[in-house]
Amino acid sequence: MSVAVLLLLGLGLLEAEGRCFFSHAQKYCVCYNLSEESLSSLIQCLPASVVEFRGGELEKYVAFPISDPDPSTIEMLGSLVVRKIIFGELLVPEILLAWILRFFSYTQVQELVFESCIFEGRGNWDEMAGQDLPILSLHFHNVTSPPLMGREQDFSSLSSWLEILQELAVTASHVTSLPCVIGRVFKDLRSLDVAQNSLGDESLMATFCKGAFPQLQVLSLQRNNLTSYHRVCESVQLLPELQHLDLSQNKLKADPSSSCQWPVSLRIFNLSSAGLDEVLTPLPPSLEVLDMSCNHLHAVDISFSSLKKLFLSQNMLQAAPSIKNYPMLDTLHLDNNSITELPWNEVKHLQDVAAADNPYNCSCSAAGGLQALATLGHLGQSWPQDYTCHSPPHYRGKLVKDVPVSVLHCNSAAVIAPVCIALALLGVAGGICLLRSRPGLVRHCCRV
Ligand SMILES: *[C@@H]1O[C@H](CO)[C@@H](O)[C@H](O)[C@H]1NC(C)=O
Ligand SMILES: *[C@@H]1O[C@H](CO)[C@@H](O)[C@H](O)[C@H]1NC(C)=O
Ligand SMILES: *[C@@H]1O[C@H](CO)[C@@H](O)[C@H](O)[C@H]1NC(C)=O
Ligand SMILES: *[C@@H]1O[C@H](CO)[C@@H](O)[C@H](O)[C@H]1NC(C)=O
Ligand SMILES: *[C@@H]1O[C@H](CO)[C@@H](O)[C@H](O)[C@H]1NC(C)=O
């Protein structure tokens, strides 16, 4: 924002009426259709910590002569409170981008986002060599740009900045490959999100070459074109710090001949919606969170001494996995499976259990177990409305909550036996009395 204000102040373009909207509560300013007309109201964005530019014609300013800011401008830029800038629905000439970034070196902007933008042409990045930028987080979503191949020189001009970048996201942007050299520039990157692209098994190998992303902790490959579980394993093997890997929404298959081992640092593993018919092996050895929701699993027969959270909703499980195999477990989600009974004695020690939309057998012990879990407050939001009985027939469709589990209903043997004995004794006593008063009856009875 400051950049544009200053630029256009300098150009004498700020007289006309504009359309920026500032929310004091959120410290958020949004400006529509960046143009000469919309720029005067940019002034009101000065107290904002987030500024968003949506739509407009950036390309018109490419030809303006641009010089470095003078010392008083630099001081002013340094005092601005804006920390995050979003550019949306814009055509961005790369020349202008290079210049904008130079301006940012005087600000305290930490986060830069480009959404639905088209990058055009080729900028001159030489002047960025050795420049430090305060930006730590860079996001691109639904963008198109000229290919990155063959741009080693540009990346090396930007390297003193890119070396300290912490977070990079390039999502939904038809990325099919990321050259190895790019990864080597991002020496300090902690989080890389390349979800919703077209990365395949082979290109992944090239991206995570030796020395690429040495500090990477979080990697999202969600919804790409990955198919081989073991090729992915081989690709990320060289990431020594990797803690969180998201492979969800890829159609993964195992290759039994591979002996690839996942990085031991891996703690959080997301395999949801990955088309799995069975649990793939090997799994990372020190997992704490494992998400295998939305697959076709019939059984989960694994043990993990370190596992704390296990997500298995939307599968075809007939029974809950054995809790004994997970001594550290605190969270277990089993919604939408084919489970008829929860082993409540085992799961009652967990903090968070979700098991809605299963075909419960509402025999006394099963319904009683679920009701007890609910009383302990472990069943969360979907209790009671999404816990229904499937059997026995007279409870079908009824809420588990409404199944009577009192001693009278459930333990009929314990209740009926004493009642029968009491009745029998009464009968005997009554009989004796009758016999005494009317002895003739005995004969009558014996004849019958
Ligand atoms: C993606 O960006 C293009 C402009 O490049 C835009 O027309 C389209 O609506 C955007 N798609 C989504 C889903 O935002
Ligand atoms: C996905 O990968 C397959 C081969 O593994 C390839 O034939 C296909 O074109 C790829 N799809 C996309 C969208 O890249
Ligand atoms: C796994 O990824 C899905 C999206 O594909 C997301 O909804 C889910 O929250 C993720 N699970 C974990 C444990 O982060
Ligand atoms: C179970 O699946 C159905 C259909 O896919 C869905 O509507 C429902 O919300 C799911 N229940 C839970 C608790 O996720
Ligand atoms: C339900 O549970 C009861 C008691 O454990 C058992 O006798 C019965 O066979 C079960 N019914 C079904 C349909 O699983």
Side-chain angles (χ1 to χ4, degrees):
M1 161 232 37
S2 49
V3 176
V5 171
L6 288 164
L7 168 61
L8 292 139
L9 267 176
L11 299 170
L13 295 175
L14 283 184
E15 295 87 40
E17 273 244 275
R19 283 202 296 146
C20 289
F21 302 91
F22 178 53
S23 152
H24 272 282
Q26 293 167 321
K27 298 231 162 242
Y28 198 104
C29 203
V30 54
C31 299
Y32 296 98
N33 295 322
L34 195 61
S35 71
E36 291 150 42
E37 288 75 38
S38 67
L39 281 159
S40 61
S41 67
L42 257 176
I43 296 290
Q44 65 179 304
C45 296
L46 286 176
S49 56
V50 183
V51 180
E52 176 175 348
F53 296 103
R54 206 147 269 280
E57 296 157 336
L58 226 44
E59 66 272 24
K60 283 213 284 200
Y61 308 109
V62 171
F64 287 118
I66 291 157
S67 56
D68 282 339
D70 57 41
S72 65
T73 311
I74 291 177
E75 194 182 323
M76 188 267 195
L77 283 171
S79 67
L80 289 169
V81 294
V82 62
R83 294 291 178 272
K84 175 174 177 178
I85 299 193
I86 304 165
F87 294 96
E89 292 158 32
L90 282 161
L91 199 70
V92 186
E94 218 183 88
I95 289 192
L96 206 61
L97 184 65
W99 180 79
I100 289 176
L101 283 182
R102 263 166 73 71
F103 246 93
F104 281 160
S105 64
Y106 304 109
T107 68
Q108 297 176 58
V109 173
Q110 291 171 348
E111 222 182 318
L112 196 53
V113 181
F114 295 90
E115 274 172 17
S116 301
C117 288
I118 299 172
F119 294 95
E120 268 195 341
R122 185 118 184 221
N124 180 1
W125 298 97
D126 294 347
E127 289 183 41
M128 286 296 289
Q131 286 262 3
D132 289 330
L133 286 179
I135 298 164
L136 298 175
S137 165
L138 191 53
H139 287 228
F140 300 90
H141 180 76
N142 182 31
V143 301
T144 41
S145 83
L148 294 177
M149 294 290 181
R151 312 231 5 209
E152 288 78 7
Q153 184 52 46
D154 295 344
F155 278 102
S156 94
S157 297
L158 286 167
S159 63
S160 59
W161 165 44
L162 298 179
E163 266 171 30
I164 59 152
L165 200 73
Q166 303 282 296
E167 251 185 67
L168 174 66
V170 185
T171 53
S173 299
H174 306 286
V175 176
T176 53
S177 66
L178 281 174
C180 166
V181 288
I182 293 187
R184 290 189 176 145
V185 174
F186 291 95
K187 289 195 168 54
D188 208 25
L189 200 75
R190 304 300 155 104
S191 167
L192 175 64
D193 182 357
V194 282
Q196 299 176 49
N197 283 297
S198 306
L199 292 168
D201 303 330
E202 298 309 317
S203 63
L204 213 57
M205 286 294 238
T207 303
F208 298 102
C209 60
K210 197 162 169 47
F213 306 106
Q215 297 292 328
L216 199 65
Q217 295 173 358
V218 181
L219 173 59
S220 173
L221 295 166
Q222 187 194 104
R223 206 178 326 158
N224 270 276
N225 196 16
L226 305 175
T227 57
S228 165
Y229 184 72
H230 290 101
R231 297 293 292 196
V232 176
C233 175
E234 282 157 23
S235 304
V236 303
Q237 232 175 2
L238 295 174
L239 298 172
E241 305 290 328
L242 191 64
Q243 292 175 15
H244 182 164
L245 178 60
D246 186 348
L247 299 178
S248 64
Q249 300 179 52
N250 287 285
K251 293 286 160 266
L252 297 175
K253 287 268 179 306
D255 165 14
S257 63
S258 165
S259 59
C260 175
Q261 296 295 318
W262 296 93
V264 281
S265 51
L266 204 51
R267 299 273 182 274
I268 306 176
F269 199 26
N270 198 333
L271 289 172
S272 76
S273 306
L276 310 182
D277 298 317
E278 54 183 1
V279 177
L280 300 180
T281 53
L283 284 165
S286 322
L287 276 189
E288 290 175 10
V289 179
L290 176 58
D291 190 342
M292 295 194 293
S293 315
C294 310
N295 284 294
H296 316 292
L297 303 176
H298 289 270
V300 172
D301 188 15
I302 44 175
S303 311
F304 264 106
S305 54
S306 53
L307 200 68
K308 294 179 179 158
K309 301 188 193 305
L310 180 57
F311 300 100
L312 294 169
S313 296
Q314 314 254 20
N315 276 288
M316 299 159 104
L317 303 178
Q318 310 273 330
S322 175
I323 309 299
K324 292 191 296 291
N325 295 340
Y326 316 98
M328 302 288 282
L329 202 70
D330 60 44
T331 300
L332 177 63
H333 287 196
L334 298 165
D335 300 304
N336 263 321
N337 277 284
S338 305
I339 297 170
T340 54
E341 192 170 344
L342 273 193
W344 96 279
N345 250 325
E346 293 187 25
V347 301
K348 72 181 177 198
H349 303 293
L350 306 180
Q351 281 161 27
D352 173 6
V353 182
D357 292 319
N358 277 292
Y360 285 112
N361 177 351
C362 286
S363 66
C364 282
S365 59
L370 279 168
Q371 290 179 11
L373 273 182
T375 312
L376 292 170
H378 293 347
L379 284 182
Q381 299 282 306
S382 340
W383 176 269
Q385 72 279 2
D386 295 330
Y387 288 77
T388 47
C389 303
H390 190 76
S391 65
H394 58 282
Y395 284 139
R396 204 186 178 110
K398 210 171 161 152
L399 291 184
V400 177
K401 172 184 79 109
D402 296 332
V403 173
V405 293
S406 62
V407 180
L408 190 64
H409 282 92
C410 287
N411 214 336
S412 49
V415 177
I416 289 168
V419 169
C420 292
I421 291 167
L423 283 174
L425 286 174
L426 265 176
V428 171
I432 291 169
C433 292
L434 265 177
L435 281 180
R436 281 193 179 155
S437 55
R438 300 175 60 184
L441 256 176
V442 177
R443 273 181 315 242
H444 181 74
C445 285
C446 289
R447 273 203 302 271
V448 176

